[in-house]
Amino acid sequence: MTPLSIDAERLLGRLRDLGRIGRDGGGRLVRLAASDADRAGRDALVAWIRGAGLEVAVDRIGNVFGIWRTADHRDRAPVMIGSHIDTVIDAGILDGCYGVLAGLEVIETLKAAGSIPARPIAVAAFTNEEGVRYAPDMMGSLVHAGGLPVEEALASLGTDGTVLGAELERIGYAGSEEPGFLTPHAYLELHIEQGPVLEREGVSVGAVETLQGISWQRVTIEGEANHAGTTPMAMRRDAGHAAACVVTFLRDRARRANAPTVATVGCMSFEPNAINVIPSRAVFTVDLRDPDEQRLRAEEAALAGYLTELAAAEEVTIAVERLARFEPVTFDRRMVALIEAAARDRGLSVKRMTSGAGHDAQMIARIAPAAMIFVPSIGGISHNPREHTPDADLVAGATVLLDVVARLAAQ
């Protein structure tokens, strides 16, 4: 039997078309969740879903589903393929979008081949995966999995002062379905790696078996503003210096660790933010990640202990606010093995790996067997207009997705 082939031109063309939607005046791709640009992207996706002859469903948090099912499927859980189409600011065209459009392409390919799956197949585009405009990230899939009440999510206040629920209503994507109405039999997410490993090692496909846990915190340090010229160094309560000590502590600890722990301070602000005034206040974020829950907890405890010592040593006060906390995820072993087998059957090299980024798959893994497929990212670059994966790798990843979905839907 000749293996099925996706329509590469259709998939790649849609990626380019979607990538043109949401450009700002400077040509940057900015399709933030529930924005006008997001509405335009959703409209294009829904048109393609309807053009494929699929049922369209939208839930209250705005998650969009394209469902292929027959009367024989009514009581059967679907194989779900998903990701997101919202972007960061000045984004590339592949992050999230590749997984959604490849999922649609898989369904269209199976339909065109006359396949008769034993259960429904659905493609999902989850709301606000990036978390740029509303917190937390991966919101739509978290709500779908029951990890965040929908009313709480809809009340989220955006960085621009908007409320998510009102914005979904405004753009026409406040759906009627209750989140979680479609519980998967299995969930697959195809994604660019967003890291350098596959390209550096010359591997075509990543079979993702674990996903790092994430701990986000906001730290506020209160010192005392004073004259930069007249205040002796030993008599300062310098919030800026204390903040810099935390940055150095985190970096040095992570680099010394014989583990894949990573630590990042990505946002920082000082008050009064004047060149000749000692900072009275420093506010910054801490992003800790590790694929092992015990190590992640140890890093959180080490930071807490250091902040206590620092407050005493520098005569400052320190407050910590938790912004998000997601435990590491181990994906379904059988599905990871299916991905490996599908890649090898197509003559593709494959590697088991850990994802350093958060994805909707980690949320859906709470309610269904889940796994992810990675393809190489050139230079490991993502969240950047230079984000790039060669067409051949994009097609290869979608082909592996096709084969795995076909096997799962036959069960």
Side-chain angles (χ1 to χ4, degrees):
M1 181 177 176
T2 303
L4 293 178
S5 297
I6 65 161
D7 186 330
E9 184 176 347
R10 180 170 58 192
L11 172 61
L12 299 173
R14 283 176 177 166
L15 281 168
R16 291 189 293 268
D17 290 345
L18 187 55
R20 284 189 280 267
I21 297 173
R23 298 283 171 174
D24 68 8
R28 304 180 307 169
L29 178 57
V30 185
R31 206 164 54 236
L32 304 186
S35 64
D36 290 340
D38 186 28
R39 170 171 53 194
R42 289 165 174 263
D43 287 349
L45 174 62
V46 167
W48 288 325
I49 290 172
R50 287 198 170 118
L54 308 184
E55 172 189 343
V56 176
V58 182
D59 68 13
R60 292 178 60 208
I61 197 62
N63 297 325
V64 176
F65 302 89
I67 309 167
W68 179 29
R69 59 184 167 192
T70 68
D72 295 336
H73 292 154
R74 291 192 187 282
D75 298 325
R76 296 179 186 172
V79 175
M80 185 181 290
I81 315 156
S83 200
H84 63 98
I85 65 167
D86 67 308
T87 75
V88 297
I89 297 170
D90 201 14
I93 71 169
L94 299 175
D95 178 6
C97 305
Y98 170 50
V100 173
L101 295 179
L104 178 58
E105 178 59 39
V106 162
I107 295 174
E108 288 183 279
T109 298
L110 291 171
K111 283 190 69 180
S115 298
I116 305 176
R119 60 179 61 253
I121 305 176
V123 59
F126 292 108
T127 294
N128 191 42
E129 192 272 352
E130 295 292 3
V132 175
R133 193 180 182 200
Y134 302 98
D137 56 350
M138 297 169 283
M139 181 189 284
S141 53
L142 179 62
V143 172
H144 188 82
L148 178 66
V150 63
E151 297 298 344
E152 183 178 334
L154 291 172
S156 296
L157 188 66
T159 56
D160 54 0
T162 58
V163 176
L164 176 58
E167 286 294 273
L168 287 172
E169 289 277 2
R170 184 183 67 81
I171 69 169
Y173 280 93
S176 58
E177 298 286 353
E178 286 298 322
F181 77 100
L182 201 62
T183 301
H185 165 73
Y187 177 85
L188 281 162
E189 186 164 350
L190 174 62
H191 211 281
I192 57 171
E193 181 192 349
Q194 299 180 287
V197 175
L198 293 175
E199 184 199 16
R200 286 187 180 180
E201 297 187 8
V203 177
S204 298
V205 173
V208 183
E209 57 181 352
T210 54
L211 194 148
Q212 290 195 121
I214 301 174
S215 171
W216 282 2
Q217 300 172 67
R218 181 185 290 119
V219 180
T220 301
I221 302 180
E222 301 281 359
E224 182 178 68
N226 215 331
H227 197 292
T230 63
T231 310
M233 298 301 291
M235 299 176 67
R236 299 182 177 210
R237 297 176 57 222
D238 187 341
H241 170 68
C245 289
V246 178
V247 175
T248 302
F249 168 80
L250 290 168
R251 182 173 175 82
D252 288 348
R253 182 176 173 86
R255 292 182 73 174
R256 287 195 308 267
N258 185 26
T261 309
V262 292
T264 305
V265 173
C267 301
M268 183 178 288
S269 64
F270 290 165
E271 293 179 13
N273 197 34
I275 192 170
N276 59 349
V277 181
I278 298 165
S280 61
R281 193 170 199 251
V283 181
F284 57 94
T285 58
V286 176
D287 180 321
L288 293 171
R289 304 191 188 207
D290 196 288
D292 180 85
E293 174 65 14
Q294 295 306 313
R295 284 199 304 263
L296 185 58
R297 289 184 181 180
E299 294 307 310
E300 291 173 316
L303 173 60
Y306 179 73
L307 292 177
T308 299
E309 296 172 4
L310 182 68
E314 297 295 325
E315 298 184 41
V316 296
T317 59
I318 301 179
V320 179
E321 176 189 1
R322 183 177 297 285
L323 300 177
R325 180 57 158 83
F326 300 123
E327 292 186 357
V329 172
T330 299
F331 288 125
D332 185 83
R333 293 179 180 179
R334 291 170 296 179
M335 290 181 64
V336 174
L338 274 178
I339 292 166
E340 282 186 311
R344 288 173 178 149
D345 287 348
R346 291 283 185 167
L348 300 168
S349 54
V350 60
K351 172 187 177 70
R352 290 198 175 204
M353 61 193 306
T354 293
S355 171
H359 297 285
D360 291 310
Q362 76 189 82
M363 302 307 171
I364 305 303
R366 300 180 179 196
I367 58 172
M372 293 189 70
I373 303 167
F374 275 176
V375 294
S377 293
I378 299 303
I381 294 172
S382 184
H383 286 186
N384 184 307
R386 293 191 294 122
E387 173 183 277
H388 179 67
T389 297
D391 289 352
D393 289 330
L394 295 172
V395 172
T399 301
V400 172
L401 179 67
L402 169 67
D403 292 348
V404 176
V405 168
R407 294 177 192 184
L408 289 170
Q411 296 175 357

